Amino acid sequence: MNAFNKLVGLTLILGLFPGCGNKPNPELEEAYQKAASVLAADESFYPIIDEELYYFQNQTLDSITPLYINEQDAVKKLMKLETFLAFTTRDFTQKERQNLIDRKYLPRAVPIAYDGLAIIVNNANPDSCITVKDFARILKGEVTQWKELYPQNKLGEIDVVFDNPLSSTVRWCVDSILGGQQFSAKNIGAVQTSAAVIDYVEKHENSLGIIGSNWLNDKRDTTNVTFKKNISVMGVSKMDSARSFNSWKPYQYYLYNGNYPLRRTIYALLNDTRNGVPSGFCHFVQLPKGQKIILRYGLLPRSANMNVRDVIIKKE
């Protein structure tokens, strides 16, 4: 038998055993498809993720359902393999990453954007600037009255409100502002959503709210330099004393050049070993079209060609 006949014979023999040892497991397949059909995201990213999904699903016809929950629960779902994609403001911890690797998974943390943690106050509040140091003092409970920061301010107790007790906003403040110290002040509370924070601040003159900056933009302004009119956004300063000339608001340019001090990274935590729909959506968000959506919502894209232009704002 010549070499060619040997090769043909081997091919035919192998063809008799197409699925030997690799029979599909219906239960595993069903579990994968169920987890791949959903993504988990911190509720504060709702405006961006919803817009990204709209264009992704129209382009690919793939279907994926978002679960807008708090960041802790989003990561828990990922670790339990109830989803393969979660949007957060943190990377995997070393323990989480090793746990998934030990289970033969390939966890990846993909940075997709930067946003600013915005400090908002009622329109009746006469003060518009705050230092990072004073913001930390408020969260520690060292300052509880507006007049302790601004002697002329007569709004009384500072009523601090977060979006959710387990949100990325709370965790970031604890880790990055307080060095891991938990809140203990009685005047600090939480509602359930970012929209509820805006509503609360609008109705309470003495309140101070903390939300992700993608909730702030007035969508009628395509330049992203106009914030919502029903609340005021405070300028934040790295200096010991906050003044208008050294305080910055979470505009894209100030996220870009580092002037705004409360900047955080948004990650897509991915654990999809099959490169299925979750991987496809994560890739879409990184493409120019997906990054343009992030730009349109007032955040700073992680990878995009951007032109910086001077904009003159006319106050009427």
Side-chain angles (χ1 to χ4, degrees), residues 11 30 40 102 104 111 134 154 181 199 219:
T11 303
E30 182 181 357
D102 290 344
K104 310 303 180 185
D134 283 339
K154 302 183 184 302
Q181 177 182 334
D199 184 63
K219 298 303 180 291

Side-chain angles (χ1 to χ4, degrees), residues 1-11:
M1 182 182 291
N2 59 34
F4 175 77
N5 290 334
K6 288 180 181 178
L7 180 60
V8 172
L10 181 60
T11 303

Side-chain angles (χ1 to χ4, degrees), residues 49-284:
I49 301 302
D50 237 38
E51 187 85 352
E52 296 278 8
L53 277 172
Y54 174 81
Y55 285 98
F56 171 75
Q57 293 180 146
N58 275 277
Q59 177 177 304
T60 64
L61 300 182
D62 289 323
S63 178
I64 187 166
T65 302
L67 300 176
Y68 296 113
I69 51 182
N70 64 71
E71 185 177 74
Q72 287 192 32
D73 287 342
V75 175
K76 284 180 182 178
K77 284 188 173 292
L78 189 72
M79 298 303 296
K80 291 179 180 178
L81 307 182
E82 295 175 4
T83 182
F84 298 119
L85 179 61
F87 289 90
T88 67
T89 57
R90 70 168 178 87
D91 197 342
F92 288 102
T93 65
Q94 184 176 353
K95 184 178 180 180
E96 290 165 348
R97 189 183 299 277
Q98 191 59 51
N99 178 281
L100 292 171
I101 292 173
D102 290 344
R103 289 189 279 163
K104 310 303 180 185
Y105 289 94
L106 299 172
R108 290 191 295 138
V110 183
I112 61 167
Y114 304 101
D115 82 334
L117 207 62
I119 300 175
I120 61 175
V121 293
N122 187 275
N123 283 338
N125 196 319
D127 295 294
S128 59
C129 303
I130 190 170
T131 66
V132 174
K133 182 179 179 180
D134 283 339
F135 180 47
R137 292 171 66 205
I138 291 172
L139 297 182
K140 291 176 182 178
E142 296 173 357
V143 170
T144 60
Q145 301 287 322
W146 282 108
K147 65 181 180 181
E148 294 178 67
L149 296 180
Y150 315 101
Q152 304 302 317
N153 194 308
K154 302 183 184 302
L155 293 179
E157 184 179 61
I158 304 172
D159 187 4
V160 182
V161 58
F162 281 90
D163 49 353
N164 187 291
L166 302 178
S167 71
S168 63
T169 304
V170 170
R171 184 202 56 76
W172 194 90
C173 284
V174 168
D175 290 350
S176 301
I177 302 297
L178 301 184
Q181 177 182 334
Q182 297 293 327
F183 305 135
S184 58
K186 295 181 180 179
N187 62 318
I188 298 178
V191 282
Q192 288 298 317
T193 66
S194 300
V197 174
I198 295 173
D199 184 63
Y200 187 91
V201 171
E202 182 182 5
K203 294 176 180 177
H204 297 80
E205 291 187 349
N206 63 326
S207 59
L208 180 150
I210 302 98
I211 58 173
S213 59
N214 71 100
W215 283 89
L216 295 177
N217 287 80
D218 186 336
K219 298 303 180 291
R220 295 168 296 180
D221 177 13
T222 58
T223 64
N224 285 327
V225 295
T226 304
F227 290 142
K228 292 180 181 295
K229 303 294 186 182
N230 54 335
I231 47 88
S232 295
V233 181
M234 297 195 86
V236 183
S237 176
K238 303 174 185 177
M239 304 293 107
D240 290 334
S241 180
R243 299 288 186 270
S244 59
F245 61 84
N246 67 9
S247 301
W248 313 93
K249 296 183 180 182
Y251 293 119
Q252 286 165 319
Y253 181 65
Y254 300 140
L255 295 174
Y256 172 76
N257 69 8
N259 279 348
Y260 191 71
L262 307 182
R263 191 181 89 161
R264 56 185 187 169
T265 305
I266 300 174
Y267 292 93
L269 300 186
L270 185 66
N271 190 40
D272 179 18
T273 56
R274 297 195 189 183
N275 290 322
V277 175
S279 297
F281 181 61
C282 181
H283 181 62
F284 173 83

